[in-house]
């Protein structure tokens, strides 16, 4: 595998939740590649489907979920083995992977997860130290060196090693978040899914955590950062995928997207930042149980025309990909910025 090959190639990922009286369109026709050494941020308003993406990749969705598409994981890691016990060399489709293989060989070993709600994912009857040392021993550390390794990991994530001797209910939300990050990093997975990893942290610890994820990528791992924090994405991401109403509407290099977004929704998100126009995105996102046939952002967009009643396809721009019938041009953006 060369460094240009995707470690994870997601194609056509679609997730539906069937309710008694409705269908939730949680993720729709999502395409996304993540390469070794790359940090990809997925941003968007709450409820757009960001976290469902991470859970779908790891088989953590409820029984009423229907998942289609492909998510090919290409890794030469000996931790991923086939049914005969031999090291897996061919790509593995995470969406078609047997639950037993996902649980025993993928989750934690090859793909790590920093959960959005760490307090509910930590075992309440074990201290943080026991959880972390058990994880380290399960992934190659000896009983003798696990305590020192646990202390080092605690320091790496900004946690006092003494706090590892507490039970989860004795930890603050931010401390539980840092412990969850340490547990995800302990097996040294090639791919890390970080779902809102800075929840409950103050700004210095936010920056500390983001820099830690960036160093992981610089060392060769890949990170998918799911966040609503645009400043976080701008700080560490190589590329940013903007998600709206279950779809990715723009994917571009970070610097290019922040300087000249192509989709009106991306521009509206950036305009909502305090350091920019500090102007909220107008209107409200549609219900995922009642999405329009065309562009879901059309009802909130001042560029909408009858053409927007048809779902736009992705087209290439000078900097990335955008799904919009009337993408913004750089000249327009410059005209809108006060001199």
């Amino acid at each position: 595998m060369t460094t240009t090959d995707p470690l994870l190639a997601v194609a056509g990922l679609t997730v539906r939740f069937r309710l008694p009286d409705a269908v939730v369109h949680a993720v729709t026709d999502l395409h996304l590649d993540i390469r070794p050494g790359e940090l990809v941020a997925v941003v968007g308003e709450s409820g757009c489907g960001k976290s469902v993406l991470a859970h779908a990749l790891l088989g953590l969705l409820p029984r009423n979920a229907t998942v289609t598409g492909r998510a090919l994981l290409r890794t030469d890691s000996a931790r991923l083995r086939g049914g005969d016990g031999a090291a897996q060399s061919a790509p593995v489709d995470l969406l078609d992977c047997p639950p037993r293989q996902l649980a025993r060989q993928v989750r934690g070993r090859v793909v790590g997860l920093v959960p959005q709600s760490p307090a509910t994912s930590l075992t309440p009857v074990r201290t943080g130290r026991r959880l972390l040392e058990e994880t380290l021993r399960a992934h190659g550390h000896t009983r003798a060196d696990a305590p020192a390794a646990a202390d080092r990991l605690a320091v790496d994530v900004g946690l006092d090693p003494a706090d590892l001797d507490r039970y989860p209910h004795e930890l603050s939300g931010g401390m539980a978040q840092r412990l969850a990050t340490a547990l995800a990093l302990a097996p040294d997975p090639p791919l890390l899914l970080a779902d809102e990893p800075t929840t409950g942290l103050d700004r210095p610890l936010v920056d500390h955590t983001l820099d830690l994820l960036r160093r992981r990528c610089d060392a060769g791992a890949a990170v998918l950062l799911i966040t609503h924090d645009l400043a976080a994405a701008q700080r560490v991401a190589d590329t940013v995928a903007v998600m709206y109403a279950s779809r990715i509407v723009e994917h571009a290099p970070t610097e290019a997207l922040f300087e000249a977004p192509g989709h009106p929704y991306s521009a509206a998100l950036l305009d909502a930042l305090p350091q920019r126009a500090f102007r909220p995105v107008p209107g409200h996102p549609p219900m995922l149980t009642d999405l329009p046939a065309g562009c879901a952002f059309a009802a909130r967009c001042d560029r909408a025309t009858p053409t927007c009643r048809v779902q736009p396809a992705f087209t290439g721009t000078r900097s990335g990909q955008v799904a919009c019938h009337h993408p913004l041009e750089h000249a327009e953006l410059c005209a809108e910025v006060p001199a």
Side-chain angles (χ1 to χ4, degrees):
M1 181 175 64
T2 69
T3 54
T4 58
D5 292 328
L7 177 66
L8 179 68
V10 182
L13 173 59
T14 298
V15 180
R16 301 286 182 261
F17 295 111
R18 299 199 173 275
L19 305 179
D21 56 352
V23 175
V24 179
H25 297 71
V27 178
T28 302
D29 195 25
L30 185 144
H31 295 256
L32 192 67
D33 289 348
I34 307 173
R35 291 171 171 78
E38 184 178 27
L39 195 154
V40 178
V42 178
V43 303
E45 293 169 286
S46 297
C48 68
K50 303 187 302 293
S51 294
V52 175
L53 161 62
H55 292 171
L57 294 175
L58 289 176
L60 297 174
L61 297 177
R63 291 184 178 181
N64 67 331
T66 301
V67 182
T68 57
R70 292 185 304 166
L72 298 181
L73 180 67
R74 296 179 172 92
T75 176
D76 54 8
S77 172
R79 289 175 286 190
L80 189 61
R81 298 181 177 274
D84 58 358
Q88 191 86 17
S89 57
V92 174
D93 187 352
L94 296 180
L95 305 184
D96 193 38
C97 197
R100 183 182 181 89
Q101 186 179 13
L102 275 176
R104 295 197 170 193
Q105 298 182 23
V106 176
R107 289 199 291 264
R109 292 180 177 272
V110 183
V111 184
L113 173 67
V114 180
Q116 186 176 14
S117 302
T120 60
S121 66
L122 300 174
T123 305
V125 295
R126 286 180 170 82
T127 64
R129 178 172 298 281
R130 183 173 175 186
L131 287 170
L132 194 50
E133 290 186 12
E134 286 178 348
T135 302
L136 288 164
R137 291 201 302 270
H139 296 282
H141 285 264
T142 66
R143 185 175 293 274
D145 67 19
D151 287 348
R152 288 194 297 271
L153 264 174
V155 173
D156 283 347
V157 299
L159 193 64
D160 187 333
D163 290 327
L164 293 178
D165 296 314
R166 300 186 183 189
Y167 288 91
H169 73 273
E170 297 176 309
L171 301 175
S172 68
M175 293 163 68
Q177 184 70 61
R178 281 170 275 166
L179 175 58
T181 300
L183 289 167
L185 295 176
D188 194 24
L191 174 62
L192 184 68
L193 309 181
D195 188 4
E196 302 286 3
T198 58
T199 300
L201 304 183
D202 57 25
R203 198 69 230 181
L205 281 173
V206 167
D207 293 341
H208 180 96
T209 300
L210 294 173
D211 292 343
L212 176 63
L213 297 179
R214 183 66 258 176
R215 290 196 298 271
R216 291 279 303 171
C217 292
D218 294 342
V223 174
L224 177 64
L225 172 64
I226 294 170
T227 182
H228 66 276
D229 186 344
L230 293 173
Q234 185 178 24
R235 181 183 177 91
V236 295
D238 296 298
T239 66
V240 176
V242 180
M243 199 166 182
Y244 181 75
S246 85
R247 292 179 181 271
I248 288 179
V249 297
E250 184 168 6
H251 189 190
T254 303
E255 184 177 356
L257 186 136
F258 275 80
E259 287 185 357
H263 198 283
Y265 175 63
S266 304
L269 276 182
L270 295 178
D271 281 345
L273 292 173
Q275 62 269 37
R276 297 210 180 192
F278 205 25
R279 182 172 57 239
V281 183
H284 301 280
M287 297 289 292
L288 294 182
T289 54
D290 188 27
L291 292 178
C295 174
F297 188 63
R300 308 172 74 181
C301 182
D302 59 8
R303 300 171 67 86
T305 68
T307 306
C308 301
R309 295 170 187 165
V310 177
Q311 182 63 45
F314 264 101
T315 56
T317 66
R318 285 180 296 176
S319 58
Q321 294 268 318
V322 62
C324 181
H325 291 296
H326 311 292
L328 296 166
E329 298 294 336
H330 183 61
E332 294 178 86
L333 293 167
C334 291
E336 293 173 2
V337 177

